[in-house]
Amino acid sequence: MVHHAAQPYGPADWWYVEGQPRTPALATLSAVDGSFFMSLFFFASAVLVPGSHRRHGTRRFLKSRLVRLGIPVAVGALTIVPGLMYAYYVHYRGYRSISFPRYFTDVYLGLGDKPADWTGPSWPDLQFGHLWFIQNLLAYTVLYVVCSRAGRLLGHLCRPTRTRGQRPAPGHRALLLTTAAITAATFLIRLKYPLDTWVPVLDFLQVEPARVPQYAAFFTIGVLAHRHNWLERFDARTGWVWLGGALAAVAVLFVTGADADCFGPGGFTAPALAWAAYDSALCVALCVGLVTAFRETVTRSSHLTTELSANSYGVYILHVPLVVTVQYYLADRGFSPVASWATTSVLGLAGAFLLAAGMRRLPGFRHVL
């Protein structure tokens, strides 16, 4: 929510609202957020996958994932995303205004002719927007099931003589090696696919290759954390050290700026290597540190926190249209970038939680949201 609220006011990324005043502080905030928060989402989701798979069995588990993940992606791609893209088409593309039904068929689905002066970001406009995470999570989950069944089959064929115990929780050495491995993979992939380059995989999966090493690594770590009980066994002292290092690195980044010449989005350059290393280190340190801080400080839940947690998935699905609506309303009203961002964050967050809570109480929606 906070990340998307900052999109028109800081980073140079494409967004549904353009031409707003910007500030480097929000560009740096977006860079910090982007370095870790989706990886943390993949980690938290993956922790729940093995237990659910074991309890329900493969068929019921995949069916439940298709309902919980597949339906929002399909419905969102036909309702939420085309609405957002139509607003962008009308306000910023400079073409003659057309009705939404015609836009949906001719431009969004690409059934009409592509304009000779098409301004993008892609043709046709059909995309999954922020729902790419749910789409990718479904793909990772299916891949986990395939690998799990393959591993079980190999285990039967190899006839192991003993059962392996739990692996030790990661320490400083393991975390450093993980950071180095993610850095190397990230740098290599960004040689061809710099940050903010999105590609369609199998003409369906919306993927940003530049961040796949982080996402895949943390999904895998989440699965291992469940199997070896790392969330309980991880040494808090290690987590606090990494959190301290992460906060120091964030402070340095706000001083230098994420758009400093020493950092680059990709290519065979020293700045690209520097950002791949800094980005990866922030990812590992913030994920490890924040999980540790949450475990050590949140000792009990309340009715409010339980309700907020239950609605968080719905908030992720529903928040972007609300955020963009507020951003459109604030455009050209003389607000500073920080004031616009703060207002959008507060109103979008409150509205998204209220909307998600209301929709989850409608018949049938609780099974999906």
Side-chain angles (χ1 to χ4, degrees), residues 175-197:
L175 293 174
L176 287 171
L177 290 174
T178 299
T179 303
I182 294 175
T183 296
T186 297
F187 176 70
L188 291 174
I189 286 183
R190 291 180 185 178
L191 293 176
K192 183 175 182 180
Y193 299 105
L195 279 167
D196 300 318
T197 300

Side-chain angles (χ1 to χ4, degrees), residues 1-248:
M1 176 75 72
V2 171
H3 181 83
H4 287 148
Q7 286 295 108
Y9 314 117
D13 308 346
W14 180 89
W15 188 243
Y16 303 103
V17 181
E18 292 183 354
Q20 302 308 302
R22 298 175 183 268
T23 175
L26 290 178
T28 300
L29 176 66
S30 294
V32 172
D33 289 344
S35 71
F36 81 95
F37 79 107
M38 297 310 301
S39 296
L40 191 55
F41 281 7
F42 277 108
F43 171 82
S45 301
V47 168
L48 304 176
V49 166
S52 181
H53 182 218
R54 185 172 57 251
R55 288 192 304 273
H56 295 100
T58 297
R59 182 174 298 180
R60 287 183 58 200
F61 172 72
L62 288 177
K63 181 180 178 181
S64 70
R65 294 303 86 192
L66 285 173
V67 170
R68 182 81 164 164
L69 303 176
I71 289 178
V73 168
V75 173
L78 296 176
T79 57
I80 295 175
V81 179
L84 292 168
M85 295 302 297
Y86 178 66
Y88 179 79
Y89 180 92
V90 169
H91 286 89
Y92 299 113
R93 287 230 171 98
Y95 300 122
R96 181 173 58 87
S97 181
I98 58 177
S99 66
F100 177 75
R102 184 180 170 192
Y103 165 81
F104 183 81
T105 56
D106 292 0
V107 180
Y108 187 74
L109 297 182
L111 300 181
D113 294 332
K114 179 181 177 180
D117 57 345
W118 180 246
T119 57
S122 62
W123 177 267
D125 263 356
L126 175 62
Q127 58 170 285
F128 295 93
H130 64 292
L131 302 177
W132 70 265
F133 166 69
I134 304 173
Q135 187 192 41
N136 279 250
L137 181 59
L138 178 59
Y140 281 31
T141 302
V142 171
L143 184 61
Y144 163 80
V145 171
V146 172
C147 292
S148 178
R149 291 181 68 86
R152 192 174 306 169
L153 177 61
L154 289 174
H156 288 311
L157 293 176
C158 294
R159 299 179 183 274
T161 56
R162 61 187 180 88
T163 303
R164 295 182 179 179
Q166 291 185 333
R167 294 182 181 179
H172 292 300
R173 182 174 181 271
L175 293 174
L176 287 171
L177 290 174
T178 299
T179 303
I182 294 175
T183 296
T186 297
F187 176 70
L188 291 174
I189 286 183
R190 291 180 185 178
L191 293 176
K192 183 175 182 180
Y193 299 105
L195 279 167
D196 300 318
T197 300
W198 293 80
V199 300
V201 177
L202 302 177
D203 290 326
F204 170 73
L205 208 57
Q206 187 173 301
V207 175
E208 184 184 14
R211 295 206 180 275
V212 166
Q214 296 173 356
Y215 301 157
F218 273 86
F219 186 88
T220 303
I221 292 170
V223 171
L224 294 174
H226 171 87
R227 290 185 173 176
H228 302 290
N229 198 26
W230 285 348
L231 290 179
E232 294 292 333
R233 298 169 57 223
F234 184 75
D235 188 352
R237 294 170 297 182
T238 301
W240 289 122
V241 169
W242 281 75
L243 179 59
L247 295 178

